[in-house]
């Protein structure tokens, strides 16, 4: 599968192989489970505001179709590649299976920098991408959602472009939409609230009091900011955060309300007057109780894993820790890891709720949604912790085992087609 050649794809395959070895899975069974079912690359020409025409590359990977439609985010980032998207699609498969959702994993992306484009260009690019993807997507085929660089507005444009093609409104084509278009209460906050909820479960497990516990967050975007705000509401003190512009630190705790105002105005955490500037790397190495990487893949590597100083590593981002770093962290029993496919699953769970509500045209209250979300996350957490202790394996291996086994069983029962 050279077409997916990328460090993040190799990382996802390495994780899969470790789990397959643990499950004593025959070699003959592995490629079918590991490699994506379908991949699309599209060329996206758009008219730019300066009168020029630019062509962007867009990708979508559907990892498996065994349990239902595929589900996964759409990322706008200059370094998006087919291989990265394939890795993210694979992780989505294990995440959906771990939480019992009737989906295979998918992911999409456009190699672009939305922060250097004007909104009308982002809109044209999004609509063009949707148009090119129409043969491959649908509410019963593949459903998109926000990821890095995309938001509710982008989802609204996708929904509108798809609906224009269908001739009627199809809200269930995307999740993470604005409420006014059939979005779900609680979706925007779901991933970050899930991260904080599971960090609280982990704190209980290791006997850590979250009141006055210290927290550092890499990536103060949707997931990072909501995780920080929710952990603050549990009594924790957020002492360091970063985004692509750099990091900030305040040992007494950052005032998140003031920080939000600063970010809304300046679109960056740097320059916040009530904190001292630090580097992005320093945020990861800040001594703290809870460290939340919520930006990109491959941030915790063999170079910095030995230097991380936290009690709980709550992986808000997908794939923030490389297998080499994992090997180092596994020797450090003082660190409790909440692996990505468990820790950030809140987003896809509420996306599933949004899809169900759209299909039924019947909407639930936020209280009902949050109760259902925490119930699913608690069950997944309990199961992973139980397996990890019983089989003496890491929380990551235990989480991946549950996800991979569920897909494996479904494939064995169905046959070769999906
Ligand atoms: P976002 O675009 O809202 O935020 C990303 C943040 O990371 C931004 O603040 C950006 O400036 C920062 N960032 C980017 N590169 C960085 C770097 N090198 N160092 C430090 N900060 C950097 O995206 P998001 O939706 O919050 O997603 C963040 C991560 O969470 C991604 O890995 C995504 O796949 C994962 N995730 C998101 C969701 C969701 O519901 N949005 C669900 C599950 C997982």
């Amino acid at each position: 599968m050279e077409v997916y050649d990328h460090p993040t794809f190799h990382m996802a395959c390495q994780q899969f192989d470790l789990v397959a070895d643990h499950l004593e899975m025959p070699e003959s069974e592995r490629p079918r489970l590991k490699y994506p079912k379908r991949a699309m690359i599209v060329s996206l020409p758009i008219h730019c505001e300066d009168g020029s025409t630019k062509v962007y590359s867009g990708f979508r990977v559907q990892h498996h179709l065994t349990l239902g439609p595929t589900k996964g985010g759409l990322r706008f980032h200059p370094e998006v590649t087919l291989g990265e998207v394939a890795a993210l699609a694979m992780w989505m498969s294990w995440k959906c299976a771990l939480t019992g959702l009737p989906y295979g994993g998918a992911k999409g992306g456009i190699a672009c920098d939305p922060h250097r484009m004007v909104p009308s260009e982002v809109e044209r690019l999004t609509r063009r991408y949707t148009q090119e993807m129409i043969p491959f997507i649908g509410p019963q085929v593949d459903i998109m959602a926000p990821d890095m660089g995309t938001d509710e507005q982008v989802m609204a444009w996708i929904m509108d472009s798809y609906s224009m093609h269908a001739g009627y409104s199809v809200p269930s084509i995307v999740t993470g939409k604005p409420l006014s278009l059939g979005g779900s209460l609680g979706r925007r906050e779901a991933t970050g609230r899930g991260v904080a909820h599971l960090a609280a479960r982990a704190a209980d497990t290791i006997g850590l009091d979250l009141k006055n516990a210290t927290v550092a967050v890499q990536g103060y975007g949707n997931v990072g900011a909501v995780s920080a705000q929710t952990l603050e509401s549990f009594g924790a003190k957020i002492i360091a955060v970063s985004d692509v512009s750099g990091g900030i630190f305040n040992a007494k705790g950052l005032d998140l309300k003031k920080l939000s105002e600063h970010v809304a105005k300046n679109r960056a955490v740097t320059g916040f007057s009530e904190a001292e500037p630090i580097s992005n790397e320093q945020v990861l190495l800040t001594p703290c109780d809870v460290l939340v990487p919520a930006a990109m893949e491959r941030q915790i590597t063999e170079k910095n894993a030995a230097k991380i100083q936290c009690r709980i590593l709550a992986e808000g981002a997908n794939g923030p820790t490389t297998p080499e770093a994992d090997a180092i962290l596994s020797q450090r029993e003082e660190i409790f890891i909440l692996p990505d496919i468990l820790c950030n699953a809140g987003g896809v769970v509420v996306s599933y709720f949004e899809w169900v509500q759209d299909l039924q045209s019947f909407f639930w209250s936020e209280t009902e949604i949050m109760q259902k979300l925490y119930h699913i996350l608690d069950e997944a957490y309990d199961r992973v912790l139980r397996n990890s202790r019983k089989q003496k394996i890491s929380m990551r291996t235990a989480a991946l085992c549950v996800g991979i086994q569920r897909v494996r069983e479904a494939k064995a029962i169905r046959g070769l087609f999906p």
Side-chain angles (χ1 to χ4, degrees), residues 102-415:
Y103 293 136
K107 207 79 180 191
I110 302 180
C112 69
D113 188 346
H115 305 298
R116 285 169 185 258
M117 297 164 73
V118 295
S120 57
E121 292 170 343
V122 178
E123 175 175 358
R124 282 198 283 278
L125 188 57
T126 304
R127 289 186 182 278
R128 185 70 200 229
Y129 175 83
T130 311
Q131 176 64 39
E132 296 297 336
M133 286 295 160
I134 277 174
F136 310 107
I137 59 174
Q140 298 300 336
V141 183
D142 182 11
I143 306 127
M144 299 196 199
D147 192 79
M148 253 175 64
T150 56
D151 56 15
E152 289 181 357
Q153 176 62 72
V154 171
M155 296 306 114
W157 288 325
I158 295 175
M159 183 260 185
D160 185 61
S161 306
Y162 188 86
S163 300
M164 279 159 66
H165 167 79
Y168 50 90
S169 291
V170 189
S172 51
I173 183 64
V174 282
T175 58
K177 300 177 287 297
L179 273 180
S180 54
L181 293 183
S184 176
L185 290 165
R187 171 60 188 94
R188 192 188 306 152
E189 301 82 9
T191 310
R193 283 187 188 165
V195 169
H197 177 81
L198 290 170
R201 291 293 317 268
D204 271 352
T205 303
I206 64 169
L208 170 77
D209 187 359
L210 272 188
K211 254 214 152 71
N212 295 320
T214 52
V215 177
V217 179
Q218 184 202 37
Y220 202 68
N222 174 317
V223 177
V226 177
S227 302
Q229 286 151 7
T230 314
L231 283 164
E232 187 189 50
S233 75
F234 296 164
K237 211 162 60 168
I238 317 304
I239 57 169
V241 303
S242 69
D243 63 15
V244 76
S245 69
I248 54 170
F249 175 80
N250 182 339
K252 291 194 189 124
L254 295 157
D255 182 330
L256 295 189
K257 243 196 193 132
K258 286 190 188 159
L259 179 60
S260 288
E261 286 163 16
H262 172 84
V263 171
K265 208 160 134 199
N266 301 286
R267 296 177 73 184
V269 295
T270 45
F272 184 52
S273 59
E274 294 181 14
E276 55 186 271
I278 57 171
S279 72
N280 225 319
E281 180 68 7
Q282 280 173 303
V283 171
L284 289 177
L285 304 183
T286 301
C288 59
D289 294 310
V290 183
L291 175 62
V292 184
M296 301 279 292
E297 307 87 60
R298 295 183 292 116
Q299 297 299 303
I300 300 170
T301 65
E302 73 269 32
K303 292 205 183 100
N304 58 13
K307 296 188 240 161
I308 277 169
Q309 302 180 63
C310 65
R311 304 275 312 277
I312 297 170
L313 176 61
E315 295 184 343
N318 287 306
T321 308
T322 65
E324 294 76 21
D326 247 343
I328 296 168
L329 292 175
S330 68
Q331 304 300 315
R332 300 188 56 193
E333 282 173 12
E334 74 278 18
I335 299 182
F336 185 96
I337 299 182
L338 276 170
D340 51 2
I341 65 164
L342 170 65
C343 189
N344 68 34
V348 72
V349 172
V350 178
S351 273
Y352 165 64
F353 296 161
E354 181 174 332
W355 179 70
V356 170
Q357 291 171 83
D358 288 337
L359 291 176
Q360 298 180 336
S361 300
F362 180 65
F363 292 87
W364 314 341
S365 71
E366 186 164 354
T367 311
E368 193 177 352
I369 288 163
M370 296 317 293
Q371 271 171 358
K372 285 188 161 82
L373 167 65
Y374 294 143
H375 177 71
I376 290 179
L377 292 182
D378 282 339
E379 278 200 336
Y381 178 84
D382 291 339
R383 181 158 186 186
V384 170
L385 184 66
R386 214 169 37 241
N387 284 6
S388 151
R389 287 184 168 165
K390 201 163 135 198
Q391 299 180 43
K392 298 194 173 22
I393 52 178
S394 70
M395 285 290 281
R396 187 181 319 283
T397 304
L400 286 165
C401 273
V402 176
I404 290 172
Q405 271 294 71
R406 280 192 176 150
V407 180
R408 184 186 184 196
E409 280 164 27
K411 279 194 184 288
I413 297 165
R414 276 198 64 172

Side-chain angles (χ1 to χ4, degrees), residues 64 66-71 96-97 99-104 143 352 355-356:
H64 78 83
T66 315
L67 287 163
T70 50
K71 181 91 193 75
C96 292
T99 44
L101 308 182
Y103 293 136
I143 306 127
Y352 165 64
W355 179 70
V356 170

